[in-house]
Amino acid sequence: MELKFIYPRWGSADMKWETFLKKVKNAGYHGVEIDLPLNPHAKKEILSILADYELEFVGQHWETKELDFKTHLDTFKKHLYNLAEAQPLLINSHTGLDFFSIDKNTLLLQAAADIENETGVPIAHETHRSRFSFASHVCYSYLKEFPDLKLTSDFSHWCCVAESLLENQTEAVTKAIEHTYHIHARVGSSQSPQLLDPRDQRYGIELSTFKKWWKAMIDNAELQGRTFITITPEYGPYPYANYLPNTNELMGDQWEINQFIKEEIISNQSKGK
């Protein structure tokens, strides 16, 4: 099974598209993870540049935070349709809100499922703080109700919420791995959704734990008969990364750390063969 590595636009938005995509292409990535503007001309221009560089893309939906539910639902559907129209590999969606009722979040999940069935574009829902899936035990209840639910698994958020490496939540973690369609590969801890630098030896337990999870996600996808799985190394910029006090110097280079994560996944998967 092929591992398709995807690089996030997040953290590089100030870089010209041509410069960004050339850098990603030269580093051996299969594509990028991006949102698309609602403006048709601007959207077409971005897709044209992607085609020039022969890069695939994962659609990123993260914007919907309206509190009025009808407005929220309408906006949510509009953004999903806008991404699906461009035929990405999949859409990664920040779905719902943590304080919405189960009924409201369920309506959003059903709307996404309807759009997936209508357009043929897979929609995976990211395990993310502030969304319906903000904690492992909460997401677990939705997975039991939606057997076909696809996840973008980023357990760093769950570790932060639970103040643990989820050692006492193995059933929920196992269930989430079984539903993983897309991987966001960032190493978190019991106190943060992102380590200062996963190359630091003091974070050996955290790195080892996440590598085991990522391998289990990849192996599960292969058992399902999938021909590829998409993986976005997602060490983020400020405020996920921190500055040295009273300076403009970041504690960790986003690009370098994402290359480290990518190579760790490749190496770890090779060892398991």
Side-chain angles (χ1 to χ4, degrees):
M1 185 186 67
E2 184 181 13
L3 306 183
K4 287 195 175 187
F5 284 96
I6 308 296
Y7 198 83
R9 178 67 167 163
W10 180 46
S12 302
D14 58 345
M15 193 180 293
K16 290 184 178 180
W17 276 103
E18 291 85 351
T19 305
F20 171 66
L21 295 180
K22 184 177 181 180
K23 184 176 183 180
V24 169
K25 181 77 172 181
N26 289 342
Y29 285 87
H30 294 79
V32 292
E33 186 161 332
I34 58 173
D35 190 14
L36 287 174
L38 295 173
N39 179 282
H41 177 74
K43 176 180 171 181
K44 184 178 180 180
E45 186 175 4
I46 292 169
L47 293 174
S48 176
I49 299 171
L50 275 176
D52 288 342
Y53 282 90
E54 298 181 325
L55 286 168
E56 300 176 286
F57 83 101
V58 169
Q60 170 72 63
H61 164 66
W62 55 271
E63 296 187 52
T64 309
K65 290 191 175 181
E66 288 89 349
L67 299 185
D68 175 76
F69 185 72
K70 184 182 183 305
T71 304
H72 188 108
L73 177 60
D74 290 345
T75 303
F76 179 69
K77 291 163 67 174
K78 179 170 66 175
H79 282 281
L80 292 185
Y81 274 121
N82 183 59
L83 289 166
E85 183 184 45
Q87 290 293 300
L89 288 168
L90 69 131
I91 295 170
N92 171 44
S93 176
H94 282 209
T95 303
L97 291 170
D98 52 4
F99 55 84
F100 273 176
S101 67
I102 292 174
D103 288 344
K104 287 180 178 178
N105 281 325
T106 295
L107 285 172
L108 292 165
L109 291 171
Q110 187 58 59
D114 292 343
I115 292 170
E116 176 175 336
N117 290 332
E118 178 185 342
T119 64
V121 176
I123 299 176
H125 305 272
E126 187 171 347
T127 59
H128 204 289
R129 290 168 301 151
S130 87
R131 300 303 186 170
F132 88 94
S133 53
F134 69 95
S136 60
H137 68 285
V138 175
C139 187
Y140 183 50
S141 64
Y142 287 96
L143 293 176
K144 289 189 289 187
E145 293 298 319
F146 287 85
D148 297 324
L149 192 66
K150 298 178 178 68
L151 293 181
T152 293
S153 289
D154 182 350
F155 293 171
S156 67
H157 293 280
W158 286 355
C159 291
C160 186
V161 169
E163 283 198 313
S164 73
L165 292 180
L166 309 176
E167 301 93 337
N168 58 351
Q169 301 188 54
T170 54
E171 189 173 356
V173 168
T174 299
K175 189 74 169 175
I177 288 170
E178 292 171 355
H179 283 258
T180 297
Y181 193 83
H182 176 48
I183 300 171
H184 271 190
R186 181 175 58 244
V187 184
S189 73
S190 63
Q191 301 301 320
S192 170
Q194 178 171 290
L195 298 178
L196 290 175
D197 192 327
R199 298 169 295 186
D200 189 322
Q201 292 184 359
R202 64 171 53 90
Y203 300 130
I205 292 174
E206 287 84 356
L207 178 60
S208 175
T209 299
F210 276 81
K211 284 168 63 175
K212 289 176 184 176
W213 285 334
W214 298 333
K215 187 176 189 312
M217 294 170 192
I218 294 167
D219 290 348
N220 182 71
E222 191 164 19
L223 284 173
Q224 292 176 344
R226 294 179 58 185
T227 57
F228 69 88
I229 187 169
T230 47
I231 306 167
T232 300
E234 217 210 8
Y235 182 88
Y238 178 82
Y240 274 67
N242 291 321
Y243 286 102
L244 289 170
N246 301 311
T247 74
N248 291 320
E249 184 179 348
L250 280 170
M251 300 170 68
D253 182 276
Q254 182 187 17
W255 177 264
E256 287 182 5
I257 292 176
N258 280 332
Q259 306 326 299
F260 167 77
I261 290 172
K262 176 172 174 273
E263 293 306 317
E264 284 290 297
I265 292 173
I266 293 171
S267 174
N268 193 46
Q269 202 61 24
S270 297
K271 291 176 183 176
K273 297 297 184 183

